[in-house]
Amino acid sequence: VLQNLSQTPVLRELLKEAKMPSTIIKIESPELSMEPQLIKLDQPGPLTLAMYQFLTEMQETKKGVVTPKELFAQVCKKAIRFKGYQQQDSHELLRYLLDGMRAEE
């Protein structure tokens, strides 16, 4: 799941912009009839910042191995079911990760 998200350029760009407090981002609709929307973002939450840090580390690392410790810790704070390192479905992780980031907006 995290490898797929790391290869999503729009997500990486939005997270890069969102890490700065009071950032205004422009979202353009593929439909020509709608005007672009300007959205002012507040200070990002800890899950959003951890996601940004992890994706940045994945893209820039020369080590080859990246451990999502901080990101996992933040996910566990939002979804206690992930504590304890038991087997979980990847789609559940994706859902809790994205819902948690959206709740921080």
Side-chain angles (χ1 to χ4, degrees):
V1 167
L2 295 175
Q3 288 174 335
N4 286 328
L5 290 176
S6 75
Q7 297 303 312
T8 308
V10 172
L11 177 63
R12 287 194 323 262
E13 287 302 313
L14 282 173
L15 285 173
K16 186 181 349 178
E17 291 180 26
K19 75 179 176 83
M20 306 302 278
S22 301
T23 297
I24 298 177
I25 61 170
K26 182 178 179 181
I27 298 177
E28 297 189 41
S29 172
E31 300 175 15
L32 297 176
S33 61
M34 293 183 65
E35 292 184 26
Q37 296 182 353
L38 297 177
I39 299 172
K40 183 178 179 184
L41 301 174
D42 293 327
Q43 177 72 29
L47 180 59
T48 303
L49 287 173
M51 182 67 172
Y52 169 75
Q53 287 296 111
F54 177 73
L55 293 180
T56 300
E57 188 177 345
M58 275 189 83
Q59 293 294 314
E60 297 176 355
T61 188
K62 303 288 189 234
K63 297 184 289 187
V65 176
V66 179
T67 306
K69 286 181 183 178
E70 179 59 28
L71 179 58
F72 185 66
Q74 292 301 323
V75 168
C76 288
K77 287 180 183 178
K78 302 278 184 190
I80 297 174
R81 71 181 324 152
F82 289 101
K83 284 187 178 179
Y85 301 100
Q86 294 178 346
Q87 181 81 22
Q88 300 289 339
D89 291 331
S90 60
H91 73 276
E92 289 180 9
L93 171 68
L94 178 62
R95 191 180 94 212
Y96 282 105
L97 177 63
L98 296 179
D99 283 349
M101 288 172 39
R102 185 177 343 139
E104 291 182 342
E105 290 178 352

